[in-house]
Amino acid sequence: MNKILVLDGVSDLATKILEKDCKVSEYPKISEEELLKIIGDYDAVILRSATKITEKVLEHAHRLKVIGRAGVGVDNIDIKAATKKGIIVVNAPNGNTNAATEHTFALMLSLARMIPNAHASVVNGIWDRKSFLGLELKDKTLGVLGLGRIGAGVASRAQAFGMKVIAYDPYLSNERAIHLQVKKCELNEVYAEADFITLHLPLTDETKEMINKNSIAKMKKGVRIINAARGECINLDDLTNALKNGDIAGAALDVFANEPLGNHEITTLKNVVLTPHLGASTIEAQEGVAVDVAIAIKEALNGQMVASALNAVPVSPEMLNKIKPYFNLVKALGFIACEVSNSAIKQVFIEYSNAFKELDTRALSQVMLCGLLNSILQEKVNMVNAPILAQNRGISLIEQKSDEVNNQIKVKIVSELGEHEIRGALMSDKSAYVSGIDEYDIKFEPSGVLLLVPHDNVPGMIGQIGTILGEAGINILSMQVSKTNTSGENIMAISINKKPLKTDYKKLCELAGVHGVKIIDCSEICDD
């Protein structure tokens, strides 16, 4: 019988699920010294955020097979050390979805009806109805930025209140938009039309401080903003100024770039609702994550695939040795294919040549999905959860094998804007290289920061591009140019030492004869 260690006062519901088949020991509070003494006796451990599972702890965990985090964040778990020991780490990413959804809507209602200020007025002995004239949500337009699980839940509730819902999500397919009964829009359309804007996007280079003085200038005057997702998505100083001058009528925030918030000027304003990161703080959410992680631990101990696993590799050691050299290649092919596509993906085809005839390539296909989905998703993507995450986004994977006598792998993406194919193989030293993009035959290593530059085959093109990069202080590490296609066009693959600024990128795009420039950062996607 497996022995389970339950720490940090995880909900009793987890214990009830596990004790049917396992022996459960509970330690609501435990020191590292105590943990080091007992961890070697257990097959699995469940914890919240108080206890730290460090490399030192794992050195004593001789039986441990699974670590379960009753929540989302895993900063208190050394995943790299766990992976080295073959210990699966699982979390509970969905247990707090409803709590965060409802809190978002509570913020919106509180803002619309000025409930916190009205409450404070009554508590202070003032019966003032005139100062708290609110507005109804019915017939207002809600702009949802990011239509994942929480964004979709907010949209559904807003529709029940009679709101018109429009949404911006660059990876939202038309079919899913229709299913959710929302109008799919470009970002500037949402800014121009929405009476309320709610943020549900992951934190990326593009979304960091996306709400700033420039984007606020594009919004309808008097818009109200709600953020229970990522504090870093808002420039708080710019938002504060807009709240003061009336460009933005109100804001309701649960998250901040720097927490605790402290004495920021926004705390002095009357047209704001501020809460201390309470999105997941409900009884049900804490019970939900406990149940989810308990079920995940049972599945992992039974050798099943676990959707919330963060590091599991479901493949035999023998087969892993044969296919592992191709991991970086397929991951890079998926990542680059998604970056080149840059639209909602419907299908992904991966084709293996004859050299893979005797190999179990299903794991390779999942690694390719990891690369593809890491380009667009906030969640941690791994070999276990990649197929499920793809299915949830309406992406179908089709694996094929050809009779071509080489070691080439092809990845073709079918999106709403068309098709793109990326081809690649391994060099003699087992390093990965891309051998083609669409109709272009070109050979380059998918590493570091890359510029992909389709262009007309005309004299001086390489010099013009080199000049712009040189003036920007960007060093060209390598440059490959494809053969000219039937339309008289080539593509350059330029490896550079850093990303160009937006102004320099604009200069490249505006060069006569250049047909779009893609910046692709492969520096992390190809790590083992």
Side-chain angles (χ1 to χ4, degrees), residues 41-98:
D41 296 330
Y42 292 92
D43 300 281
V45 57
I46 301 181
L47 68 161
R48 295 177 66 184
S49 59
T51 303
K52 289 180 169 50
I53 303 297
T54 62
E55 185 173 8
K56 182 179 179 180
V57 171
L58 291 171
E59 288 173 356
H60 292 73
H62 309 300
R63 289 176 50 173
L64 200 62
K65 303 178 184 70
V66 192
I67 301 169
R69 167 71 166 93
V72 179
V74 288
D75 294 342
N76 57 323
I77 301 171
D78 191 330
I79 295 180
K80 184 176 289 187
T83 302
K84 288 180 180 178
K85 289 180 65 72
I87 299 169
I88 299 171
V89 180
V90 300
N91 66 349
N94 300 322
N96 60 10
T97 297
N98 187 69

Side-chain angles (χ1 to χ4, degrees), residues 370-424:
C370 290
L372 184 148
L373 294 172
N374 268 321
S375 178
I376 61 176
L377 293 184
Q378 177 183 356
E379 295 101 320
K380 176 73 174 180
V381 183
N382 55 63
M383 290 178 64
V384 176
N385 65 9
I388 298 170
L389 292 172
Q391 183 180 12
N392 290 343
R393 296 193 70 88
I395 301 172
S396 62
L397 172 65
I398 300 172
E399 184 177 309
Q400 302 170 327
K401 291 189 178 179
S402 73
D403 295 326
E404 293 185 16
V405 185
N406 54 44
N407 70 341
Q408 186 168 257
I409 300 174
K410 300 177 182 178
V411 173
K412 183 173 75 172
I413 283 183
V414 179
S415 72
E416 293 181 343
L417 298 182
E419 300 180 1
H420 290 282
E421 181 182 275
I422 312 295
R423 304 175 291 280

